[in-house]
Structure formats: structure tokens, C-alpha cells
Amino acid sequence: MSPLAALSAAVRLEVVRLATVRSSAVLLALAAAAGAAGAAALCALAERADIGRSGLLEAVTGGSASGLSVVGIAAALAGALVAAGDARHGAERTALVLVPRRGALLTARTVVVAGWSAALAVASLLAAVAVVVLWPQQQLVAASPGPVVLAAPLLGYVGLVVLHGVAGLALTALLRSAVAAVSLVVAWPLVLEPLLGSVLPPSRWGAVLEGLLPAAAASRLVAAPPVAAGTPWLVGSAVAGGALLAAVSALVLLAAVRGARRDA
Amino acid sequence: MIEALALSKRHGSRPALDDVSFTVPDGVLAALVGPAGAGKSTVLRLAVGLDRGSGAVLFDGEPYSRLPRPAHAVGVVLDPRALHPGRTARGHLRSLAAGAGVPRRRVDEVLEQAGVTGARRSRPQHFRRGAALRLAVAGALLGHPRTLLLDDPLTDLDDDSRAWLLDLLRVHADGGGSVLITASRAADVLAVADELVVLRRGRLAARGPASDLVAGLKAGVLVRASDPGLLAGAILRWGGDVEPCDDGALVVTGLDMAAVGEVARAEGVAVHELSRRTADLDAALLSLELPETELLPGANPGAVPGASAVPA
């Protein structure tokens, strides 16, 4: 079986697997509901207080400026379920019998989880936008910068959810536990990264390094640019995105190495 | 045709398979037989590349990983319970068909062929063993493969599913395909297998036509008597062989049932039970747990004269 044929077969297999399992529809509904709920909460908050020019962005991305969002967690769970389902129900062996190339299978699984996570992000965005548009007398749109300025953080949000999904997949393959993987995704920005940041030396390089840690890079990806921010801001966001991508790619690579060394 | 060439595999320091070679020609249904831990499943897992080991298994001259479309050449059933609980039976087969590059309409064909059309919308986590196996076999048949590999398909199988499966495998082999199944009990496969490949502790112990293996086993007479020692001595004098059992019964070979009765009457021994004991291949397989030299033809009652025994 040629590598290309194997990849094509593996992608078909994973797409139909995703489409024929119940939890996919549940996660899609959860993502849309989370997007709508986040938007509703921000709209309600905006009625009582001025939440600034980034209010609209916060509303449609579910307040993911901390580097963590409910939809990101849902995507991590989606990725974890793909890997955990393989391990728990023997699906990995079935897949390897159909497509006897481990690299092609992992690549296909990563691609499909990435696509599925993007779909979850878009579903949550659409639900959130619908709530904002329909919210009576909301001022978020009026206070927000224009669509051109918002394009980069919105793309960053979709990319962030995609990376959450892929991280969930890779961590589950490494830790052999969906619960541990999702817990780690949640605990990283809330506990582990602040701890790590506190031990970095208080120097210029330490500050640069701290800004490239996964949660900090994630919050930069979805942050609204300051007024009059130009190309340097976009470059900084791209560097943050690259750092996050590198971290998740390292996880996938580790999972690939571990998978290649052991019996299925 | 399936060719297993010098298969070896270690679990840590323990050899799981040691230089196992055999061939299953086209049109032959072969059974890999041996007690638990003999290495039967490992052979199949190595064959399809799930386990890392040395040696090769060729399907019509090609290793599994180099087959252009594996599911169209080899149908594999390793674990019928490998089913996601959130997916229907039809959804499960749809995903396999997608991976195998098989049109979706083929799913309904194999569901019908396996007799599980009525359960296509059911989630299979509560399927009984028979239904789960039928679904797994349906998946293996999706690509119209010439070769079938099934790991321990007969254990805990209901009578209907067993009859259906054995018939399907027989028809497949008679149609020119190769079939390799594993079984812990030889009795399960004797009626259908053309050839047996016997494994013992990861080594090839014997192989050959199933009929030859059975013919090589001795039938005997089981007798329980009031004085087993006296009767055993008399039987030996009359030219028979005696093997005492743990419960005091004797298994007599070399004399028929009537002769054993006459010997007992002549010696004045009361007979409590006298019955024919049929050849038991599974007992013979258990005897293969003896040292390797015992496997040579004629070396012990469990040896298989018609089979090609493989020395250490």
C-alpha cells in the first residue's frame, strides 16, 4: 500500500468513524451551546459595565483571552475520544489491519481531529454571533473595531481550538487516558504554566520565553490588537502561534514515536 | 496462499514464537491449534503487522504491508468485540468499507450474508458472541478477499453461528481461497479443517492433514473393576496395554471391549464399567506439553504418526 493510498484510506476511515459515532453530534451541540452561552453572558455583562473595544471579540470567542475556552476543552475532548476509543475498543488494531501504515493513520487522525475541531470552533462562533446580533440593544458591535482588525484574532481562535483538539489526541495517545489528557489541557494554563513562569529568571529573555509558553501564546493569538497596532503586532501573534504549533507538533511527534515502537 | 516463514517473536526475555514456518495452499482450510499461550494469536498478529517480530508472512508472495489493497486480499477477524459502543452495526461496517475503499452498498450485502441485517441499526455492545462474530466476519468479507484469517472464532459460539461459520469457511476454501483459523480445542476444528498446524510454547510441534492426525490416535477401552491391579496384570499377560487413570479406572489398548470383559471374567474381577473410549485429539495436544522428543512419531500415545513432527 503506497503512502498516499494509505493516507487517503485512513482519512476516509477516520471521517466515517467520526460521522457514525453519537458523541460527535453531542460535541457539536455542546460547542454551539457554549458559544451561545458565552456570548449571552458577555452581552448581559456589557449592559451593566463598559467592557471595552474587545467586548465583541470576547463575546464571540467565549472569553478565551485566558488561553482556555470551553470550546477548546470540547475540542480537546473530541481529540481525546478519538485516541481513547481506539485504545479502549480495539479500534486501533482494526484500523491498522485496514491501513497497515502507522504513520498514515496518525497523520489522518490528526488531520481529521484538526478539521473536526475547526468545525466545532466555527459552530460556536456562528452561535455566538447569532446571540450577539439578536441581543436587544447590545452595544458590543458599535464599540468593536472593524472586521479587518478582528479577522486575525478570530482566525487565531479557530487555530487555538484546532490545536486544543490535536493536543487532546496526542496527549491521550501518550498518557493512554482521555481523562488525564483533558485534565492536563485544562490544568496547564490555570496551574502549570503560572508555576513554570514563576521559576523563569526575571530577565529580558525570561520575559520573552514566558510569552512563548503555550497558554501565553494562546491568549496572544485571540487578543484584540491595541489601537494603531500595526505589522509588529501581527508578527508577534504569528510568532506566538508558531510557538504553540511547535509545542503541539512535539506532542504529536512523541505520540508517533511511541506508537511506532510498540505492538498494537 | 499463505506462507509463514521463520516467524519469531519475544515478549521480553520469553520467546512467544520461535522459528515457526508453515504453508496454507489455495483451497485449504488450516487450523492453528494449541493450548493457551502457544502463540496462535501472535502468528496472526505478526501476519498483519500488528506485532513487531522477525520472519515474514506472505500472501500470494507479498507481505501484508505491501498489498496494494489489503482488505481486498485478506479478510481478518482478530477480536469480534472490538466495536465502539456508540456506533451502530451498520455504522461500524460503513467505516470499515470507507477505509477499505469498498462501495457503501457492499455493507448491506455482507450484513445479509452474515445474517445480521435485522441488527444493522443496533449498537453492538450488547451483542452476544455469535452476533458480534457474524458482524466481524461481515467486515472481513467486505473486500471479497481470497484469504481469511480468524483468531479463535469458535470459542463460546452458539450452535447456529458455529454451523454458519464453519459452512462459510468450508465454502470459501472449496472456492479456491485460503483460510487460517486458530483454536484452543482441536475438537472444534476437526470436522472442518483440512490441515492442522500444532503449536506448543511458541514452537511448531506438528503439522499435517487433520485426517492423518486423527488416524494416528489410539482408541481404547475404559474399564472400572473391583480389583484394578489384578485386572491390569491379566490384561498385560493377554497382550494388551494398560494406562491407569487417577480415579482408578484403566484405559486399555490392544484389546477390544469383548476381550477385556472375558479377561475380567476369567480373573474373577467384578466389572463396574466397560465402555469404548474414542480418540481424543485434545488429550493428545495436552500431551504435547511433554518434552520435545516426545513429539516424534511413535514416541508416545499422544504422538501423531501421520504428521510431520518438527524436531527442536
Side-chain angles (χ1 to χ4, degrees), chain A residues 113-240:
Chain A
V113 166
W116 177 228
S117 301
L120 294 178
V122 170
S124 79
L125 280 175
L126 291 177
V129 167
V131 167
V132 169
V133 168
L134 296 174
W135 194 269
Q137 296 175 340
Q138 53 79 19
Q139 298 299 313
L140 293 173
V141 176
S144 167
V148 175
V149 177
L150 289 181
L154 285 177
L155 277 176
Y157 170 71
V158 174
L160 181 61
V161 174
V162 166
L163 290 175
H164 270 92
V166 176
L169 172 78
L171 283 171
T172 305
L174 284 170
L175 303 175
R176 312 301 288 174
S177 163
V179 174
V182 176
S183 301
L184 189 55
V185 168
V186 174
W188 182 269
L190 301 178
V191 180
L192 300 176
E193 187 162 312
L195 280 177
L196 192 60
S198 67
V199 300
L200 285 174
S203 65
R204 184 166 165 256
W205 285 109
V208 170
L209 201 59
E210 197 173 345
L212 295 178
L213 289 176
S219 60
R220 173 64 184 261
L221 267 184
V222 295
V227 179
T231 308
W233 174 267
L234 283 177
V235 171
S237 296
V239 171

Side-chain angles (χ1 to χ4, degrees), chain B residues 27-137:
Chain B
V28 168
L29 196 168
L32 265 174
V33 183
K40 309 179 295 292
S41 299
T42 306
V43 169
L44 298 198
R45 292 166 59 83
L46 282 170
V48 296
L50 292 180
D51 279 4
R52 307 288 188 193
S54 62
V57 177
L58 306 180
F59 298 94
D60 292 329
E62 290 285 345
Y64 190 81
S65 61
R66 287 198 196 155
L67 293 169
R69 297 201 298 173
H72 294 251
V74 185
V76 184
V77 176
L78 292 179
D79 178 9
R81 292 285 184 195
L83 300 162
H84 194 292
R87 195 174 283 124
T88 64
R90 192 169 186 278
H92 171 71
L93 290 181
R94 271 186 58 203
S95 68
L96 298 186
V102 169
R104 196 189 287 192
R105 66 175 179 279
R106 176 73 182 141
V107 168
D108 293 322
E109 291 174 12
V110 293
L111 278 168
E112 191 172 343
Q113 191 176 355
V116 284
T117 305
R120 66 184 184 277
R121 293 187 196 284
S122 305
R123 302 193 191 279
Q125 74 264 36
H126 300 306
F127 275 15
R128 292 188 175 188
R129 163 88 178 166
L133 181 85
R134 284 169 181 257
L135 185 60
V137 171

Side-chain angles (χ1 to χ4, degrees), chain B residues 205-268:
Chain B
R207 62 170 180 259
S211 54
D212 288 359
L213 292 171
V214 176
L217 298 174
K218 294 180 184 175
V221 174
L222 182 80
V223 58
R224 293 179 199 279
S226 57
D227 190 341
L230 181 62
L231 182 58
I235 287 170
L236 290 172
R237 286 199 303 278
W238 281 60
D241 287 323
V242 179
E243 187 179 329
C245 300
D246 291 340
D247 60 356
L250 303 174
V251 175
V252 180
T253 52
L255 295 179
D256 63 14
M257 203 157 60
V260 172
E262 289 296 329
V263 172
R265 190 176 66 86
E267 295 294 326

Side-chain angles (χ1 to χ4, degrees), chain A residues 1-2 5 8-10 12-13 16-23 81 85 89-94 96-102 259-264, chain B residues 9 11 45 48-52 64-68 70-71 76 78-79 81-88 91-92 94-96 98-101 123 125:
Chain A
M1 195 173 213
S2 72
S8 167
R12 287 196 309 267
L13 171 70
V16 178
R17 272 184 169 180
L18 202 60
T20 52
V21 78
R22 269 184 304 190
S23 56
L81 287 177
H89 305 296
E92 187 173 12
R93 288 188 289 277
T94 308
L96 270 172
V97 166
L98 284 171
V99 184
R101 281 184 177 269
R102 292 166 197 243
R261 285 183 177 169
R262 65 181 175 81
D263 293 336
Chain B
K9 161 83 181 166
H11 290 308
R45 292 166 59 83
V48 296
L50 292 180
D51 279 4
R52 307 288 188 193
Y64 190 81
S65 61
R66 287 198 196 155
L67 293 169
V76 184
L78 292 179
D79 178 9
R81 292 285 184 195
L83 300 162
H84 194 292
R87 195 174 283 124
T88 64
H92 171 71
R94 271 186 58 203
S95 68
L96 298 186
R123 302 193 191 279
Q125 74 264 36

Side-chain angles (χ1 to χ4, degrees), chain B residues 158-173:
Chain B
D158 60 273
D159 291 343
D160 281 352
S161 296
R162 176 185 296 262
W164 167 80
L165 178 65
L166 293 180
D167 184 54
L168 181 137
L169 298 179
R170 186 69 266 164
V171 168
H172 191 86

